[in-house]
Amino acid sequence: MASLSSWRLRAIQSGRRLIDRRGHPSMSTLKPSTFSRPSTRALAAIGIFGVTAGYALAFAIPADSPLSPRSILSATSTHPKYASASEIKSAIEELRAIFSETDAVITDQARLTTYGSSDNSYHSSVPHVVAVQVQSTEDVVKVIKVARKWRVPVTAYSGATSLEGHFAGAPSGGICIDLSLMDKILSINVDDADIICQSGVRWEDINNTLQEKNIPLFFPLDPGPGATIGGMVGTGCSGTNAVRYGTAKAEWFLNLTVVLPTGEVIKTRRRARKSSAGFDLTKLFIGAEGTLGIVTEATLRLAPLLPTRVAIAQFPDVNKACSAVQEILTSPYGSHVQCVELLDDHMMAAINKAGTMERKYPARDSLFFKIQGSTDSIARAAKVIKEITAKHSSLKFEFAGSAAEAGELWQNRKDALWSTLASVPGSKCWTTDVCVPVSRLPQLVYETKKDLKEANIQSTIVGHVGDGNFHALLLFRDDDELEKVRQAVHRIVERALALDGTCTGEHGVGLGKREYLVEELGEGTVHLMQAIKNVVDPYGLLNPGKLYPDQTPSSASRNH
């Protein structure tokens, strides 16, 4: 310790006092408005510097020292204390007074149940005690300030399409901010190829609006039907176009308007296409699952709408199908592949049984392609793709015969969940996703299908095979089968991690994947995430219990 200069030591100690939330006077005496003061923001910066300095000087600090990086970060992992039942009641009354001219405040139990749970998520969940339908950033600020005053947890809600329990309520009782009415497109800047919208806008509505206005641009992120921009930011989504256009963590979100846990409103950057001014705060909120702030508006980058053709190739097994994709994407024409989706034999059988396509295809492991470019480049790319698929024993390669057939094919890929459910009447479906390096995908899919067959679990598999991401849709009809499915999901995740993959490629962590985060990222990385969370949200109000492994919210009321 003697080697540390006194100012460095004071900075680290300041950082520890700032982020220590175990009831020490330095934190317990802070008032709700404290973190909005410039002086306290400066102190927060010193605190973060203290943590950073601790890492930089770790070699000089013994591992068991209270000033070691691990000790500093561990001090942030205690459970916050939330409002008592009487305080929650007071908060609800205050919300009713603020929104007295509308029916925005919802306490009906039946409606609250829909806000806190999903028919397609099987993680433990509890309803919120109140929901507030907001229509502007200012409305969100009002709700956040009430929540902060009374220490009531807050969870954002919009499209309700997430599958890992992201919008479940807090056990202590919480407020749900319903952003689904914030569904306005605010401006379209055609010359700059970007669009500004509220966070409750669905991605399909953006593309439909551009099409209706004959604007030859589109927003390429395409997760599940009904997903909204706010949720897409929160989960760090992608979709079928990821092989060509990347994910939410690429540059598709140029700027976000965010309400912080203090009630302060920030914009993460300007509308310029690129910037090297400071931290990339936009990406701080992408994948944060609503735990650092509530996104209310976004500026989205658009892409040119290129001519596209849809093709299908079928194979004797998934291993050959996946292997073909690897070679296609590394060929000179790989950049012309907009999408390449795997549908296994069970999925093709489910689509045929659902009867949603006029033409039925053999129930074989299949690849659906979207090839884009000029007429000539599509023809050249298709020739190479056909040759490569034949080399990998494809049984068929053909283009959709018409635009209608192409649309039908792709819509059936998007509706995979509903076709899977319809294939076994009375069943329910647990959907999970993992992602591995593309070269490891054949092994992962093969071993997973073998495992599910041995476990006697009815399932389908679809995947964004071009980037190593696949989804298993596992069917069950009773609690015994549900437990078998739960264990199978665990094995799928562990198998992906063993192949240097991730527990989730695009669904996010939520409640369902928290237990795998330390194994995947390492303790140091997770502790740093928690430190950032606790500096930004010291009362732990935003979406507690999600994402961070050991931040399960306490149901106890706070001390006075």
Side-chain angles (χ1 to χ4, degrees), residues 8-300:
R8 283 173 174 166
L9 178 58
R10 285 196 299 273
I12 295 174
Q13 289 171 331
S14 296
R16 182 168 183 173
R17 282 196 298 272
L18 178 65
I19 61 178
D20 189 344
R21 292 168 45 245
R22 295 178 294 180
H24 288 194
S26 59
M27 178 54 74
S28 62
T29 56
L30 291 179
K31 296 179 181 179
S33 60
T34 302
F35 269 70
S36 65
R37 299 173 187 165
S39 61
T40 306
R41 288 201 294 269
L43 179 59
I46 293 171
I48 296 171
F49 172 77
V51 173
T52 306
Y55 270 106
L57 299 168
F59 66 91
I61 304 175
D64 58 353
S65 166
L67 292 180
S68 69
R70 182 59 48 82
S71 296
I72 291 172
L73 294 176
S74 295
T76 70
S77 63
T78 54
H79 295 163
K81 303 297 183 182
Y82 296 131
S84 64
S86 62
E87 290 169 327
I88 290 175
K89 184 177 180 181
S90 296
I92 293 173
E93 291 306 314
E94 189 167 339
L95 289 169
R96 284 197 173 113
I98 292 171
F99 295 95
S100 59
E101 296 182 3
T102 67
D103 296 323
V105 179
I106 299 166
T107 55
D108 176 74
Q109 290 302 309
R111 294 181 68 184
L112 290 175
T113 298
T114 65
Y115 278 117
S117 61
S118 166
D119 290 339
N120 300 309
S121 175
Y122 302 97
H123 306 296
S124 298
S125 63
V126 294
H128 307 280
V129 295
V130 61
V132 183
Q133 292 181 315
V134 294
Q135 299 188 50
S136 66
T137 298
E138 292 72 23
D139 283 352
V140 176
V141 170
K142 293 173 186 176
V143 177
I144 290 294
K145 287 186 174 180
V146 171
R148 188 172 178 84
K149 173 182 177 180
W150 296 102
R151 305 291 196 275
V152 183
V154 176
T155 299
Y157 171 100
S158 52
T161 61
S162 62
L163 299 168
E164 297 292 351
H166 291 90
F167 52 88
S172 61
I175 300 169
C176 175
I177 297 184
D178 178 3
L179 297 127
S180 62
L181 297 180
M182 293 183 63
D183 58 355
K184 308 296 187 298
I185 294 174
L186 303 177
S187 67
I188 302 173
N189 305 299
V190 177
D191 291 343
D192 297 320
D194 67 45
I195 187 169
I196 302 173
C197 65
Q198 293 181 308
S199 61
V201 173
R202 295 178 296 185
W203 66 268
E204 301 106 317
D205 293 340
I206 291 172
N207 288 336
N208 289 340
T209 298
L210 294 169
Q211 184 178 22
E212 289 166 4
K213 292 180 178 293
N214 293 316
I215 298 173
L217 300 169
F218 80 116
F219 184 57
L221 302 185
D222 63 333
T228 62
I229 295 302
M232 291 163 67
V233 170
T235 57
C237 79
S238 53
T240 65
N241 289 323
V243 67
R244 172 66 177 81
Y245 292 99
T247 73
K249 294 182 179 180
E251 294 291 326
W252 297 108
F253 295 102
L254 297 178
N255 168 49
L256 301 175
T257 300
V258 184
V259 180
L260 298 178
T262 59
E264 183 179 2
V265 180
I266 67 165
K267 285 186 178 292
T268 55
R269 55 179 273 193
R270 299 273 185 157
R271 196 166 58 84
R273 184 58 66 96
K274 66 178 184 178
S275 170
S276 59
F279 297 120
D280 189 347
L281 290 180
T282 303
K283 287 192 175 64
L284 181 66
F285 295 98
I286 296 174
E289 303 189 358
T291 65
L292 300 179
I294 306 295
V295 176
T296 59
E297 294 179 12
T299 302
L300 316 177

Side-chain angles (χ1 to χ4, degrees), residues 315-338:
F315 297 83
D317 60 60
V318 290
N319 190 62
K320 288 183 171 59
C322 293
S323 297
V325 172
Q326 294 172 244
E327 188 171 344
I328 289 167
L329 294 181
T330 56
S331 74
Y333 289 93
S335 62
H336 290 282
V337 177
Q338 177 181 344

Side-chain angles (χ1 to χ4, degrees), residues 514-527:
R514 290 184 309 158
E515 65 180 290
Y516 305 108
L517 217 58
V518 171
E519 181 181 355
E520 178 175 333
L521 301 179
E523 286 188 11
T525 301
V526 173
H527 284 164

Side-chain angles (χ1 to χ4, degrees), residues 317-323 326 342 434 436-451 461 465 468 470 492 494-496 498-500:
D317 60 60
V318 290
N319 190 62
K320 288 183 171 59
C322 293
S323 297
Q326 294 172 244
L342 170 70
V434 293
V436 295
V438 177
S439 64
R440 312 304 292 273
L441 188 63
Q443 179 184 349
L444 176 65
V445 175
Y446 174 78
E447 291 178 359
T448 297
K449 284 178 70 73
K450 182 172 180 287
D451 178 16
I461 286 178
V465 65
F470 92 97
I492 290 170
E494 291 294 342
R495 195 174 293 121
L499 295 172
D500 203 17

Side-chain angles (χ1 to χ4, degrees), residues 442-471:
Q443 179 184 349
L444 176 65
V445 175
Y446 174 78
E447 291 178 359
T448 297
K449 284 178 70 73
K450 182 172 180 287
D451 178 16
L452 296 177
K453 183 177 180 180
E454 290 173 352
N456 196 29
I457 295 174
Q458 292 180 281
S459 66
T460 63
I461 286 178
V462 296
H464 315 312
V465 65
D467 48 20
N469 183 202
F470 92 97
H471 305 261

